[in-house]
Amino acid sequence: MDTRFLGRTGLRVSELCLGTMSFGGTTDEETAHRMLDRFTEAGGSFVDTADVYGTGASEEIVGRWLRRRRRDDLVVATKAYGTMGPAPNDAGAGRKHLISAVEASLRRLGTDYIDLYQIHVFDDATPLEETLSTLDGLVRAGKVRFVGASNYAGWQLQKSVDLSRLRGWEPFACLQPLYNLLDREAEWDLLPVCREEGLGVIPWSPLRGGWLSGRYRREQAAAPPGSRADVDPDAGGWPEAWGTYANERTWAVLDAVRDVAERTGRSAAQVALRWLMQQPGVTAPILGPRTPDQLEDGLAAAGTPLDDEHLAALTAASDRPLPYPFGLLARFRRAP
């Protein structure tokens, strides 16, 4: 597995990141540890978790695995924002919660430092200066090496970058956005901000909850029971619900993915991952396997790239008209 620099930092990470959201939930600890072992055997070094995953269970599982590894060989990322208790300050990106949250994550992970500490969601109730200055303090205290963001809008990300530059605070090293062949909205303004400002990009849900693995087909009337798509999006379910994605554009994208998979001898999941890995500015997609077989399939995306013809076919199949003002700006673009 190749390595890449995380944005403009000197930190090298593997070109695939292992996401651990299922650890402690659908993936038990023994299986999780086997998957972590296999990921590192394949050359992986980048592991992503969050305090809210299993309300700390994922971090604890990763932490117990870390005890028998050489810590400096790994890049461990976690996130804070979500509700971790009943008290008023048990959530958000305010100073009180972040300081408590990072100490709790350090204890659960059993480590002296966190390589990448990310704000899980933009906090519109906390002054941005409070969040960014707190992150800067965590870096200066040696508890955190780099800081990043996830689930920000373009203006929120750019304002964060500008404010950190103005105040001399530790800047965001990367963004963790939703980005895949079915969800390309990040291309409108988030990815241009990242490229312009030198932030790495570590996309979450690169297979959109199984949609891009090729498991669903046009002739199906509903999602298989128990699948990630078998949820009600209006009842707090994941947004990859059947009613959200079962449309002609999705089927056209899946047709293109399967066609490239057949022509290249890869699985549909490997093709979708490989397209994402080869997009400008992308550092490392976050694999979110629940089973060793899913991990093994994802790992095979490393290595041989797709050629230009196959990339173009996938991009064309997943393209769609840009909304205002992005469509208008594209028409009048003058940059070479």
Side-chain angles (χ1 to χ4, degrees), residues 51 59 78-81 84 92 94-119 134-135 137-139 141-147:
D51 59 4
E59 288 184 329
T78 191
K79 300 179 286 291
Y81 173 88
M84 293 297 291
R95 180 171 290 115
K96 181 175 175 61
H97 176 62
L98 287 181
I99 291 174
S100 296
V102 79
E103 294 291 352
S105 287
L106 288 167
R107 286 195 301 272
R108 287 189 290 265
L109 289 166
T111 184
D112 295 328
Y113 66 94
I114 293 164
D115 294 288
L116 174 63
Y117 198 57
Q118 302 155 100
I119 302 301
T134 302
L135 293 175
L138 295 176
V139 173
K143 298 180 185 297
V144 170
R145 298 288 191 257
F146 296 93
V147 296

Side-chain angles (χ1 to χ4, degrees), residues 180-259:
N180 55 64
L181 272 167
L182 295 177
D183 301 283
R184 292 179 53 187
E185 291 83 355
E187 295 174 353
W188 299 349
D189 56 2
L190 283 169
L191 297 191
V193 170
C194 290
R195 291 194 296 269
E196 183 70 21
E197 300 294 349
L199 277 69
V201 178
I202 51 175
W204 61 270
S205 199
L207 300 180
R208 205 49 184 124
W211 278 95
L212 290 165
S213 69
R215 65 185 301 189
Y216 307 134
R217 295 188 176 273
R218 215 183 231 100
E219 57 270 19
Q220 290 178 236
S227 68
R228 288 279 294 272
D230 183 30
V231 294
D232 178 3
D234 296 324
W238 286 95
E240 61 261 19
W242 185 263
T244 303
Y245 283 90
N247 54 55
E248 187 53 40
R249 175 177 176 268
T250 294
W251 303 131
V253 171
L254 292 178
D255 286 344
V257 169
R258 292 189 183 101
D259 180 62

Side-chain angles (χ1 to χ4, degrees), residues 284-332:
I286 300 174
L287 301 175
R290 292 180 290 173
T291 67
D293 286 345
Q294 290 175 351
L295 172 63
E296 208 64 47
D297 191 43
L299 289 174
T304 307
L306 296 173
D307 62 30
D308 291 344
E309 176 190 356
H310 296 145
L311 285 174
L314 294 166
T315 300
S318 60
D319 214 356
R320 59 183 174 186
L322 295 174
Y324 177 84
F326 305 104
L328 183 145
L329 294 172
R331 287 174 51 203
F332 290 94

Side-chain angles (χ1 to χ4, degrees), residues 49-90:
T49 185
D51 59 4
V52 78
Y53 295 165
T55 319
S58 174
E59 288 184 329
E60 290 172 348
I61 288 172
V62 172
R64 286 189 283 272
W65 177 80
L66 275 176
R67 291 173 192 165
R68 51 189 178 84
R69 313 294 299 196
R70 203 175 87 93
R71 176 67 181 87
D72 283 346
D73 290 343
L74 300 159
V75 176
V76 178
T78 191
K79 300 179 286 291
Y81 173 88
T83 301
M84 293 297 291
N89 292 300
D90 284 341

Side-chain angles (χ1 to χ4, degrees), residues 1-2 4 15-16 260 264-266 270-275 277-278 298-308 310-311:
M1 195 182 303
D2 290 338
R4 299 175 178 180
E15 64 180 343
L16 290 171
V260 172
T264 58
R266 294 178 180 236
Q270 291 161 19
V271 167
L273 280 168
R274 195 67 234 182
W275 177 88
M277 294 168 74
Q278 292 178 233
L299 289 174
T304 307
L306 296 173
D307 62 30
D308 291 344
H310 296 145
L311 285 174

